[in-house]
Amino acid sequence: MKQRIITGVVAAALFLPIVFYGKLPFVLLTYFLATVGLYELLKMKKLSIFSVHGLLTVFFLWVILLPEQYNDLLNTFYYTKTEISIAFILLLLTYTVLTKNRFTFEDVGFSILSAIYVGIGFYFFMETRDAGIVYIFYLLFMIWATDSGAYFIGKAIGKNKLWPEISPNKTVEGSIGGVVSALIVAVLFAVFSEINATILYLLAITVVLSIFGQIGDLVQSAFKRHFNVKDSGNILPGHGGILDRFDSLLFVLPLLNLFHLW
């Protein structure tokens, strides 16, 4: 616990000023986090990021991440993100032939889906920050409340296992407690912040986001159980990897955009 707290404080001291400032430093931070997240996923599958196929996957990820305001850079060369993404997919498929199937079709599928999974989540991290810092903090506090509420309430009164095959310690009571905790955060933001939503709408959205945040956590647990690893990485001592910390956010960020809060 001491190590977790120290890591959390140091990470917050580095992370929060960049989130507050936004602009290019925030874009670069997001690219870094997403690239590390992709590295962690590929490593689970024993695919090296420091290889031809690994670098192609990284470039594919970077194209997905490209914020809207930088699209003019692509337009200068008369290309769109979709066209460049298709090119990288075709190159990855071609690489299966060049390696005589040592890099397989299954590896291509895993690499593409990994880049899309990580890329879409972190892309909307940047889009949400552009909409306003209040939305980033709403999500961060909502997810923190969901995780903390689920943990403490599950410890106190949890009896019915939520999904033991994937995460044996999670309980139904804890999951409900996490949603209730998230709703408390939603009320506070509706009353004391300038978030662009009525309290009823924000409460409804929060229920959905809290549930899907927990699903995002379970998805990451499923990855780790399938590949028989304890953590996605070790970049954050006591916490694991980037995906261990951002698993819920990767699910709720695209959803928040679909709700058109801004």
Side-chain angles (χ1 to χ4, degrees), residues 39-145:
Y39 163 79
E40 292 172 352
L41 267 180
L42 294 180
K43 187 179 178 183
M44 287 187 203
K45 187 76 165 60
K46 294 183 169 55
L47 294 172
S48 173
I49 201 170
F50 304 107
S51 60
V52 173
H53 56 79
L55 292 176
L56 286 173
T57 308
V58 169
F59 290 139
F60 179 38
L61 169 73
W62 288 356
V63 171
I64 295 171
L65 285 172
L66 192 67
E68 292 297 323
Q69 62 265 35
Y70 295 101
N71 277 349
D72 288 342
L73 182 65
L74 296 181
N75 294 336
T76 304
F77 300 98
Y78 303 102
Y79 287 108
T80 66
K81 287 175 68 170
T82 301
E83 290 169 338
I84 295 177
S85 297
I86 291 171
F88 277 115
I89 292 171
L90 293 176
L91 285 171
L92 282 167
L93 289 168
T94 301
Y95 194 62
T96 63
V97 176
L98 297 178
T99 62
K100 298 179 181 178
N101 227 26
R102 288 191 301 276
F103 181 69
T104 66
F105 185 77
E106 179 186 345
D107 295 331
V108 173
F110 184 86
S111 299
I112 291 171
L113 186 56
S114 294
I116 292 173
Y117 164 61
V118 174
I120 288 177
F122 279 109
Y123 169 79
F124 282 111
F125 193 36
M126 291 183 285
E127 289 294 296
T128 304
R129 174 61 187 85
D130 285 343
I133 192 76
V134 65
Y135 299 103
I136 290 289
F137 281 105
Y138 158 68
L139 284 180
L140 291 175
F141 279 105
M142 185 272 297
I143 289 172
W144 175 80

Side-chain angles (χ1 to χ4, degrees), residues 210-262:
S210 181
I211 291 171
F212 273 88
Q214 294 183 60
I215 292 174
D217 186 282
L218 287 169
V219 166
Q220 183 62 19
S221 296
F223 286 161
K224 292 186 289 188
R225 188 164 290 273
H226 177 72
F227 290 110
N228 196 29
V229 296
K230 182 178 182 297
D231 295 314
S232 64
N234 53 16
I235 193 172
L236 299 170
H239 292 266
I242 294 299
L243 292 181
D244 291 315
R245 292 299 89 206
F246 283 83
D247 48 9
S248 296
L249 267 176
L250 290 178
F251 260 60
V252 301
L253 281 162
L255 275 177
L256 185 68
N257 182 77
L258 291 177
F259 286 128
H260 298 294
L261 261 186
W262 51 84

Side-chain angles (χ1 to χ4, degrees), residues 151-228:
Y151 176 79
F152 288 111
I153 294 173
K155 276 275 189 184
I157 62 172
K159 293 184 183 191
N160 300 290
K161 297 297 183 181
L162 179 65
W163 213 284
E165 296 84 1
I166 299 297
S167 188
N169 294 326
K170 287 182 170 58
T171 64
V172 174
E173 293 83 359
S175 177
I176 295 171
V179 175
V180 172
S181 301
L183 287 172
I184 294 171
V185 169
V187 170
L188 294 174
F189 269 84
V191 173
F192 296 108
S193 79
E194 297 179 358
I195 200 163
N196 184 30
T198 65
I199 188 167
L200 288 178
Y201 187 53
L202 192 62
L203 288 174
I205 288 174
T206 299
V207 171
V208 176
L209 294 179
S210 181
I211 291 171
F212 273 88
Q214 294 183 60
I215 292 174
D217 186 282
L218 287 169
V219 166
Q220 183 62 19
S221 296
F223 286 161
K224 292 186 289 188
R225 188 164 290 273
H226 177 72
F227 290 110
N228 196 29

